[in-house]
Amino acid sequence: EVHLVQSGAEVKKPGESLKISCKGSADIFTNFWVGWVRQMPGKGLEWIGIIYPRDSDTRYSPSFQGRVAISADNSINTAYMQWSSLTASDTAVYYCARHRRAATNPSDAFHIWGQGTLVTVSP
Amino acid sequence: DIVMTQSPDSLAVSLGERATINCKSSQTVLSISDNENYLAWYQQRPGQPPKLLFYWASTRESGVPDRFSGSGSGTDFTLTISSLQAEDVAVYYCHQYYSIPFTFGPGTKVDI
């Protein structure tokens, strides 16, 4: 069975950096787009961006471009999202998710989801 | 960006009754090249990650009960639960994957 396992909850101070991870249980990354979704406390889902680990082609929402960086390490089936300087507004649960089809076309629904990583940014 | 709207924001339905959720996109998500609607529906139960219910607007994901159905085309879509069960209490989101940035609707909360 395919799983995505995300790194654990983080508590950070404003201005600190952070890198969270999302690891696949098998060779499920190479030919699939993997993305990140934000859910702020009590709010809905926001699409952050996606990466194609085979060639690191990355697409971002303009709302998040420049604020986060998405990367991947194909050799260990792991995707990452990082911040260089956190703010309180980054407090949220972040989900990684894999697209449904193995394809170079980025247009697809999210099929497999990680359990979520809670990031809390507080002074 | 394509803006997704949903109605209602929330609804309460008796067990065994029908629930209908509407989703509207600000631009068409119907692709002329493959005649597919790039629209998905997700269910998010409290404390859990979202779960894919439908893709291509009406293709049911494996394992999703057939009391769930998805319909619509172009800019107007509907998710219907024909006979609400207790385990269907959740927030439901539509999602367009036609144009980057892909976007989600604001969600519709379904309660008993």
Side-chain angles (χ1 to χ4, degrees), chain A residues 47-86:
Chain A
W47 189 87
I48 298 172
I50 50 175
I51 186 166
Y52 191 62
R54 177 179 282 278
D55 61 9
S56 294
D57 185 2
T58 310
R59 316 290 176 91
Y60 291 95
S61 166
S63 299
F64 291 92
Q65 178 94 47
R67 297 179 55 203
V68 299
I70 295 172
S71 60
D73 186 337
N74 222 6
S75 67
I76 56 172
N77 301 318
T78 302
Y80 304 94
M81 186 165 67
Q82 65 182 69
W83 296 258
S84 59
S85 181
L86 289 158

mmCIF file of all heavy atoms in Angstrom, chain A residues 47-86:
data_model
loop_
_atom_site.group_PDB
_atom_site.id
_atom_site.type_symbol
_atom_site.label_atom_id
_atom_site.label_comp_id
_atom_site.label_asym_id
_atom_site.label_seq_id
_atom_site.Cartn_x
_atom_site.Cartn_y
_atom_site.Cartn_z
ATOM 1 N N TRP A 47 -3.735 25.549 -2.127
ATOM 2 C CA TRP A 47 -2.725 24.889 -2.966
ATOM 3 C C TRP A 47 -1.469 25.730 -2.982
ATOM 4 O O TRP A 47 -1.498 26.911 -3.372
ATOM 5 C CB TRP A 47 -3.291 24.743 -4.376
ATOM 6 C CG TRP A 47 -2.503 23.909 -5.321
ATOM 7 C CD1 TRP A 47 -2.590 22.561 -5.495
ATOM 8 C CD2 TRP A 47 -1.539 24.374 -6.272
ATOM 9 N NE1 TRP A 47 -1.736 22.162 -6.491
ATOM 10 C CE2 TRP A 47 -1.083 23.250 -6.990
ATOM 11 C CE3 TRP A 47 -1.010 25.626 -6.591
ATOM 12 C CZ2 TRP A 47 -0.127 23.321 -7.995
ATOM 13 C CZ3 TRP A 47 -0.068 25.711 -7.603
ATOM 14 C CH2 TRP A 47 0.374 24.565 -8.289
ATOM 15 N N ILE A 48 -0.345 25.130 -2.556
ATOM 16 C CA ILE A 48 0.921 25.863 -2.478
ATOM 17 C C ILE A 48 1.737 25.670 -3.752
ATOM 18 O O ILE A 48 2.221 26.632 -4.358
ATOM 19 C CB ILE A 48 1.744 25.387 -1.260
ATOM 20 C CG1 ILE A 48 0.988 25.668 0.038
ATOM 21 C CG2 ILE A 48 3.124 26.043 -1.256
ATOM 22 C CD1 ILE A 48 1.636 25.058 1.279
ATOM 23 N N GLY A 49 1.918 24.419 -4.142
ATOM 24 C CA GLY A 49 2.726 24.145 -5.319
ATOM 25 C C GLY A 49 2.994 22.667 -5.471
ATOM 26 O O GLY A 49 2.608 21.859 -4.613
ATOM 27 N N ILE A 50 3.659 22.323 -6.565
ATOM 28 C CA ILE A 50 3.940 20.925 -6.884
ATOM 29 C C ILE A 50 5.335 20.793 -7.479
ATOM 30 O O ILE A 50 5.877 21.754 -8.035
ATOM 31 C CB ILE A 50 2.918 20.339 -7.879
ATOM 32 C CG1 ILE A 50 2.739 21.263 -9.105
ATOM 33 C CG2 ILE A 50 1.570 20.085 -7.199
ATOM 34 C CD1 ILE A 50 1.837 20.697 -10.179
ATOM 35 N N ILE A 51 5.890 19.601 -7.369
ATOM 36 C CA ILE A 51 7.201 19.321 -7.933
ATOM 37 C C ILE A 51 7.180 17.963 -8.625
ATOM 38 O O ILE A 51 6.483 17.039 -8.186
ATOM 39 C CB ILE A 51 8.305 19.354 -6.844
ATOM 40 C CG1 ILE A 51 9.699 19.212 -7.476
ATOM 41 C CG2 ILE A 51 8.070 18.274 -5.772
ATOM 42 C CD1 ILE A 51 10.838 19.570 -6.516
ATOM 43 N N TYR A 52 7.908 17.873 -9.735
ATOM 44 C CA TYR A 52 8.070 16.612 -10.451
ATOM 45 C C TYR A 52 9.475 16.128 -10.130
ATOM 46 O O TYR A 52 10.448 16.639 -10.686
ATOM 47 C CB TYR A 52 7.877 16.836 -11.949
ATOM 48 C CG TYR A 52 7.767 15.589 -12.771
ATOM 49 C CD1 TYR A 52 6.720 14.690 -12.555
ATOM 50 C CD2 TYR A 52 8.686 15.306 -13.770
ATOM 51 C CE1 TYR A 52 6.604 13.553 -13.330
ATOM 52 C CE2 TYR A 52 8.579 14.168 -14.546
ATOM 53 C CZ TYR A 52 7.535 13.288 -14.315
ATOM 54 O OH TYR A 52 7.424 12.145 -15.084
ATOM 55 N N PRO A 53 9.614 15.183 -9.193
ATOM 56 C CA PRO A 53 10.940 14.825 -8.686
ATOM 57 C C PRO A 53 11.925 14.343 -9.748
ATOM 58 O O PRO A 53 13.129 14.495 -9.577
ATOM 59 C CB PRO A 53 10.627 13.719 -7.671
ATOM 60 C CG PRO A 53 9.244 14.028 -7.201
ATOM 61 C CD PRO A 53 8.549 14.532 -8.411
ATOM 62 N N ARG A 54 11.427 13.791 -10.818
ATOM 63 C CA ARG A 54 12.345 13.261 -11.839
ATOM 64 C C ARG A 54 13.264 14.355 -12.379
ATOM 65 O O ARG A 54 14.449 14.110 -12.611
ATOM 66 C CB ARG A 54 11.558 12.626 -12.978
ATOM 67 C CG ARG A 54 12.420 12.125 -14.115
ATOM 68 C CD ARG A 54 11.589 11.487 -15.210
ATOM 69 N NE ARG A 54 11.158 10.144 -14.865
ATOM 70 C CZ ARG A 54 11.916 9.055 -15.009
ATOM 71 N NH1 ARG A 54 13.156 9.141 -15.445
ATOM 72 N NH2 ARG A 54 11.430 7.866 -14.685
ATOM 73 N N ASP A 55 12.694 15.552 -12.595
ATOM 74 C CA ASP A 55 13.528 16.625 -13.145
ATOM 75 C C ASP A 55 13.468 17.910 -12.330
ATOM 76 O O ASP A 55 13.999 18.941 -12.746
ATOM 77 C CB ASP A 55 13.147 16.924 -14.598
ATOM 78 C CG ASP A 55 11.699 17.386 -14.748
ATOM 79 O OD1 ASP A 55 11.041 17.634 -13.710
ATOM 80 O OD2 ASP A 55 11.227 17.505 -15.892
ATOM 81 N N SER A 56 12.799 17.835 -11.161
ATOM 82 C CA SER A 56 12.656 18.970 -10.242
ATOM 83 C C SER A 56 11.887 20.142 -10.826
ATOM 84 O O SER A 56 11.997 21.264 -10.312
ATOM 85 C CB SER A 56 14.029 19.444 -9.739
ATOM 86 O OG SER A 56 14.625 18.440 -8.942
ATOM 87 N N ASP A 57 11.129 19.915 -11.880
ATOM 88 C CA ASP A 57 10.214 20.944 -12.374
ATOM 89 C C ASP A 57 9.251 21.290 -11.252
ATOM 90 O O ASP A 57 8.621 20.409 -10.668
ATOM 91 C CB ASP A 57 9.444 20.416 -13.589
ATOM 92 C CG ASP A 57 8.561 21.471 -14.231
ATOM 93 O OD1 ASP A 57 8.551 22.631 -13.788
ATOM 94 O OD2 ASP A 57 7.862 21.117 -15.210
ATOM 95 N N THR A 58 9.180 22.582 -10.919
ATOM 96 C CA THR A 58 8.387 23.029 -9.767
ATOM 97 C C THR A 58 7.452 24.152 -10.196
ATOM 98 O O THR A 58 7.855 25.052 -10.928
ATOM 99 C CB THR A 58 9.296 23.500 -8.622
ATOM 100 O OG1 THR A 58 10.283 22.503 -8.363
ATOM 101 C CG2 THR A 58 8.501 23.736 -7.339
ATOM 102 N N ARG A 59 6.228 24.098 -9.746
ATOM 103 C CA ARG A 59 5.240 25.145 -10.014
ATOM 104 C C ARG A 59 4.687 25.643 -8.679
ATOM 105 O O ARG A 59 4.408 24.835 -7.795
ATOM 106 C CB ARG A 59 4.089 24.594 -10.873
ATOM 107 C CG ARG A 59 4.523 23.730 -12.032
ATOM 108 C CD ARG A 59 5.208 24.490 -13.138
ATOM 109 N NE ARG A 59 5.678 23.598 -14.191
ATOM 110 C CZ ARG A 59 4.968 23.257 -15.260
ATOM 111 N NH1 ARG A 59 3.747 23.770 -15.425
ATOM 112 N NH2 ARG A 59 5.468 22.431 -16.164
ATOM 113 N N TYR A 60 4.525 26.945 -8.580
ATOM 114 C CA TYR A 60 4.052 27.547 -7.338
ATOM 115 C C TYR A 60 2.786 28.360 -7.569
ATOM 116 O O TYR A 60 2.583 28.932 -8.644
ATOM 117 C CB TYR A 60 5.102 28.497 -6.765
ATOM 118 C CG TYR A 60 6.357 27.860 -6.232
ATOM 119 C CD1 TYR A 60 7.495 27.737 -7.037
ATOM 120 C CD2 TYR A 60 6.425 27.392 -4.922
ATOM 121 C CE1 TYR A 60 8.654 27.173 -6.548
ATOM 122 C CE2 TYR A 60 7.590 26.829 -4.429
ATOM 123 C CZ TYR A 60 8.693 26.714 -5.245
ATOM 124 O OH TYR A 60 9.859 26.150 -4.758
ATOM 125 N N SER A 61 1.998 28.472 -6.527
ATOM 126 C CA SER A 61 0.956 29.487 -6.512
ATOM 127 C C SER A 61 1.641 30.830 -6.313
ATOM 128 O O SER A 61 2.567 30.947 -5.493
ATOM 129 C CB SER A 61 -0.010 29.231 -5.359
ATOM 130 O OG SER A 61 -0.814 30.364 -5.146
ATOM 131 N N PRO A 62 1.199 31.882 -7.013
ATOM 132 C CA PRO A 62 1.786 33.208 -6.797
ATOM 133 C C PRO A 62 1.678 33.644 -5.331
ATOM 134 O O PRO A 62 2.522 34.410 -4.862
ATOM 135 C CB PRO A 62 0.940 34.114 -7.696
ATOM 136 C CG PRO A 62 0.472 33.215 -8.779
ATOM 137 C CD PRO A 62 0.243 31.884 -8.124
ATOM 138 N N SER A 63 0.666 33.137 -4.626
ATOM 139 C CA SER A 63 0.482 33.498 -3.221
ATOM 140 C C SER A 63 1.613 32.984 -2.332
ATOM 141 O O SER A 63 1.819 33.494 -1.237
ATOM 142 C CB SER A 63 -0.850 32.959 -2.714
ATOM 143 O OG SER A 63 -1.922 33.497 -3.433
ATOM 144 N N PHE A 64 2.308 31.956 -2.817
ATOM 145 C CA PHE A 64 3.360 31.345 -2.002
ATOM 146 C C PHE A 64 4.751 31.464 -2.648
ATOM 147 O O PHE A 64 5.758 31.210 -1.976
ATOM 148 C CB PHE A 64 3.045 29.863 -1.770
ATOM 149 C CG PHE A 64 1.859 29.637 -0.876
ATOM 150 C CD1 PHE A 64 0.589 29.503 -1.406
ATOM 151 C CD2 PHE A 64 2.010 29.579 0.504
ATOM 152 C CE1 PHE A 64 -0.515 29.311 -0.582
ATOM 153 C CE2 PHE A 64 0.917 29.377 1.334
ATOM 154 C CZ PHE A 64 -0.343 29.248 0.787
ATOM 155 N N GLN A 65 4.789 31.851 -3.918
ATOM 156 C CA GLN A 65 6.081 31.995 -4.607
ATOM 157 C C GLN A 65 6.969 32.955 -3.848
ATOM 158 O O GLN A 65 6.553 34.054 -3.479
ATOM 159 C CB GLN A 65 5.837 32.526 -6.026
ATOM 160 C CG GLN A 65 7.099 32.766 -6.832
ATOM 161 C CD GLN A 65 7.467 31.580 -7.691
ATOM 162 O OE1 GLN A 65 6.625 31.015 -8.381
ATOM 163 N NE2 GLN A 65 8.733 31.199 -7.660
ATOM 164 N N GLY A 66 8.208 32.534 -3.591
ATOM 165 C CA GLY A 66 9.148 33.394 -2.878
ATOM 166 C C GLY A 66 9.064 33.272 -1.370
ATOM 167 O O GLY A 66 9.955 33.736 -0.653
ATOM 168 N N ARG A 67 7.991 32.660 -0.873
ATOM 169 C CA ARG A 67 7.839 32.519 0.574
ATOM 170 C C ARG A 67 8.213 31.119 1.040
ATOM 171 O O ARG A 67 8.601 30.930 2.195
ATOM 172 C CB ARG A 67 6.400 32.833 0.974
ATOM 173 C CG ARG A 67 5.993 34.266 0.670
ATOM 174 C CD ARG A 67 4.557 34.530 1.062
ATOM 175 N NE ARG A 67 4.322 34.199 2.472
ATOM 176 C CZ ARG A 67 3.141 33.916 2.990
ATOM 177 N NH1 ARG A 67 2.071 33.903 2.225
ATOM 178 N NH2 ARG A 67 3.012 33.638 4.266
ATOM 179 N N VAL A 68 8.051 30.142 0.179
ATOM 180 C CA VAL A 68 8.455 28.769 0.480
ATOM 181 C C VAL A 68 9.260 28.232 -0.702
ATOM 182 O O VAL A 68 9.177 28.785 -1.814
ATOM 183 C CB VAL A 68 7.239 27.851 0.731
ATOM 184 C CG1 VAL A 68 6.434 28.336 1.929
ATOM 185 C CG2 VAL A 68 6.357 27.749 -0.506
ATOM 186 N N ALA A 69 10.000 27.178 -0.427
ATOM 187 C CA ALA A 69 10.755 26.508 -1.487
ATOM 188 C C ALA A 69 10.454 25.020 -1.416
ATOM 189 O O ALA A 69 10.609 24.401 -0.356
ATOM 190 C CB ALA A 69 12.244 26.758 -1.331
ATOM 191 N N ILE A 70 10.029 24.460 -2.540
ATOM 192 C CA ILE A 70 9.721 23.035 -2.634
ATOM 193 C C ILE A 70 10.868 22.344 -3.344
ATOM 194 O O ILE A 70 11.390 22.842 -4.348
ATOM 195 C CB ILE A 70 8.402 22.834 -3.407
ATOM 196 C CG1 ILE A 70 7.226 23.427 -2.627
ATOM 197 C CG2 ILE A 70 8.161 21.350 -3.676
ATOM 198 C CD1 ILE A 70 5.916 23.448 -3.408
ATOM 199 N N SER A 71 11.280 21.199 -2.804
ATOM 200 C CA SER A 71 12.357 20.436 -3.410
ATOM 201 C C SER A 71 12.079 18.956 -3.226
ATOM 202 O O SER A 71 11.118 18.574 -2.544
ATOM 203 C CB SER A 71 13.704 20.818 -2.789
ATOM 204 O OG SER A 71 13.688 20.556 -1.392
ATOM 205 N N ALA A 72 12.925 18.123 -3.823
ATOM 206 C CA ALA A 72 12.728 16.682 -3.700
ATOM 207 C C ALA A 72 14.057 15.962 -3.879
ATOM 208 O O ALA A 72 14.954 16.465 -4.572
ATOM 209 C CB ALA A 72 11.708 16.182 -4.724
ATOM 210 N N ASP A 73 14.169 14.821 -3.234
ATOM 211 C CA ASP A 73 15.314 13.938 -3.416
ATOM 212 C C ASP A 73 14.770 12.602 -3.912
ATOM 213 O O ASP A 73 14.240 11.816 -3.130
ATOM 214 C CB ASP A 73 16.079 13.771 -2.100
ATOM 215 C CG ASP A 73 17.375 12.985 -2.261
ATOM 216 O OD1 ASP A 73 17.472 12.200 -3.243
ATOM 217 O OD2 ASP A 73 18.269 13.128 -1.425
ATOM 218 N N ASN A 74 14.892 12.413 -5.196
ATOM 219 C CA ASN A 74 14.365 11.216 -5.848
ATOM 220 C C ASN A 74 14.936 9.935 -5.257
ATOM 221 O O ASN A 74 14.244 8.918 -5.151
ATOM 222 C CB ASN A 74 14.726 11.290 -7.330
ATOM 223 C CG ASN A 74 13.599 10.862 -8.208
ATOM 224 O OD1 ASN A 74 12.489 10.611 -7.737
ATOM 225 N ND2 ASN A 74 13.882 10.760 -9.492
ATOM 226 N N SER A 75 16.218 9.981 -4.881
ATOM 227 C CA SER A 75 16.922 8.764 -4.446
ATOM 228 C C SER A 75 16.368 8.214 -3.146
ATOM 229 O O SER A 75 16.528 7.023 -2.856
ATOM 230 C CB SER A 75 18.416 9.034 -4.299
ATOM 231 O OG SER A 75 18.662 9.940 -3.236
ATOM 232 N N ILE A 76 15.713 9.064 -2.367
ATOM 233 C CA ILE A 76 15.149 8.595 -1.094
ATOM 234 C C ILE A 76 13.648 8.861 -1.028
ATOM 235 O O ILE A 76 13.058 8.878 0.042
ATOM 236 C CB ILE A 76 15.867 9.244 0.117
ATOM 237 C CG1 ILE A 76 15.818 10.774 0.049
ATOM 238 C CG2 ILE A 76 17.288 8.736 0.221
ATOM 239 C CD1 ILE A 76 16.346 11.447 1.320
ATOM 240 N N ASN A 77 13.040 9.069 -2.206
ATOM 241 C CA ASN A 77 11.575 9.205 -2.296
ATOM 242 C C ASN A 77 11.022 10.233 -1.312
ATOM 243 O O ASN A 77 10.031 9.987 -0.631
ATOM 244 C CB ASN A 77 10.887 7.858 -2.036
ATOM 245 C CG ASN A 77 11.315 6.794 -3.013
ATOM 246 O OD1 ASN A 77 11.439 7.052 -4.200
ATOM 247 N ND2 ASN A 77 11.563 5.595 -2.509
ATOM 248 N N THR A 78 11.664 11.374 -1.243
ATOM 249 C CA THR A 78 11.296 12.381 -0.250
ATOM 250 C C THR A 78 11.143 13.756 -0.900
ATOM 251 O O THR A 78 11.975 14.153 -1.711
ATOM 252 C CB THR A 78 12.328 12.450 0.883
ATOM 253 O OG1 THR A 78 12.431 11.165 1.494
ATOM 254 C CG2 THR A 78 11.918 13.467 1.944
ATOM 255 N N ALA A 79 10.067 14.422 -0.529
ATOM 256 C CA ALA A 79 9.846 15.808 -0.940
ATOM 257 C C ALA A 79 9.956 16.705 0.281
ATOM 258 O O ALA A 79 9.736 16.258 1.418
ATOM 259 C CB ALA A 79 8.474 15.961 -1.596
ATOM 260 N N TYR A 80 10.290 17.948 0.039
ATOM 261 C CA TYR A 80 10.503 18.902 1.122
ATOM 262 C C TYR A 80 9.823 20.225 0.811
ATOM 263 O O TYR A 80 9.600 20.575 -0.347
ATOM 264 C CB TYR A 80 12.006 19.179 1.291
ATOM 265 C CG TYR A 80 12.864 17.978 1.535
ATOM 266 C CD1 TYR A 80 13.494 17.341 0.456
ATOM 267 C CD2 TYR A 80 13.055 17.475 2.813
ATOM 268 C CE1 TYR A 80 14.303 16.229 0.669
ATOM 269 C CE2 TYR A 80 13.861 16.358 3.026
ATOM 270 C CZ TYR A 80 14.476 15.743 1.954
ATOM 271 O OH TYR A 80 15.276 14.642 2.160
ATOM 272 N N MET A 81 9.546 20.938 1.887
ATOM 273 C CA MET A 81 9.148 22.335 1.761
ATOM 274 C C MET A 81 9.871 23.101 2.864
ATOM 275 O O MET A 81 9.900 22.632 4.014
ATOM 276 C CB MET A 81 7.640 22.515 1.872
ATOM 277 C CG MET A 81 7.197 23.941 1.587
ATOM 278 S SD MET A 81 5.435 24.090 1.302
ATOM 279 C CE MET A 81 4.790 23.678 2.902
ATOM 280 N N GLN A 82 10.425 24.239 2.500
ATOM 281 C CA GLN A 82 11.189 24.978 3.489
ATOM 282 C C GLN A 82 10.886 26.458 3.468
ATOM 283 O O GLN A 82 10.465 27.013 2.455
ATOM 284 C CB GLN A 82 12.684 24.726 3.299
ATOM 285 C CG GLN A 82 13.274 25.226 2.005
ATOM 286 C CD GLN A 82 14.758 24.855 1.930
ATOM 287 O OE1 GLN A 82 15.126 23.684 1.793
ATOM 288 N NE2 GLN A 82 15.604 25.846 2.009
ATOM 289 N N TRP A 83 11.091 27.057 4.633
ATOM 290 C CA TRP A 83 10.965 28.483 4.836
ATOM 291 C C TRP A 83 12.304 29.019 5.328
ATOM 292 O O TRP A 83 12.949 28.389 6.169
ATOM 293 C CB TRP A 83 9.922 28.802 5.911
ATOM 294 C CG TRP A 83 8.515 28.431 5.651
ATOM 295 C CD1 TRP A 83 7.497 29.249 5.272
ATOM 296 C CD2 TRP A 83 7.919 27.126 5.810
ATOM 297 N NE1 TRP A 83 6.317 28.556 5.175
ATOM 298 C CE2 TRP A 83 6.548 27.253 5.510
ATOM 299 C CE3 TRP A 83 8.410 25.882 6.185
ATOM 300 C CZ2 TRP A 83 5.649 26.181 5.556
ATOM 301 C CZ3 TRP A 83 7.533 24.810 6.234
ATOM 302 C CH2 TRP A 83 6.172 24.962 5.920
ATOM 303 N N SER A 84 12.675 30.186 4.873
ATOM 304 C CA SER A 84 13.917 30.795 5.363
ATOM 305 C C SER A 84 13.651 31.704 6.558
ATOM 306 O O SER A 84 14.537 31.917 7.392
ATOM 307 C CB SER A 84 14.600 31.584 4.247
ATOM 308 O OG SER A 84 13.739 32.602 3.770
ATOM 309 N N SER A 85 12.438 32.231 6.652
ATOM 310 C CA SER A 85 12.107 33.127 7.747
ATOM 311 C C SER A 85 10.607 33.034 8.035
ATOM 312 O O SER A 85 9.794 33.596 7.304
ATOM 313 C CB SER A 85 12.493 34.571 7.398
ATOM 314 O OG SER A 85 12.194 35.439 8.465
ATOM 315 N N LEU A 86 10.257 32.310 9.064
ATOM 316 C CA LEU A 86 8.858 32.075 9.387
ATOM 317 C C LEU A 86 8.206 33.293 10.018
ATOM 318 O O LEU A 86 8.859 34.105 10.681
ATOM 319 C CB LEU A 86 8.752 30.899 10.363
ATOM 320 C CG LEU A 86 9.050 29.523 9.783
ATOM 321 C CD1 LEU A 86 9.431 28.556 10.887
ATOM 322 C CD2 LEU A 86 7.872 29.002 8.994
#
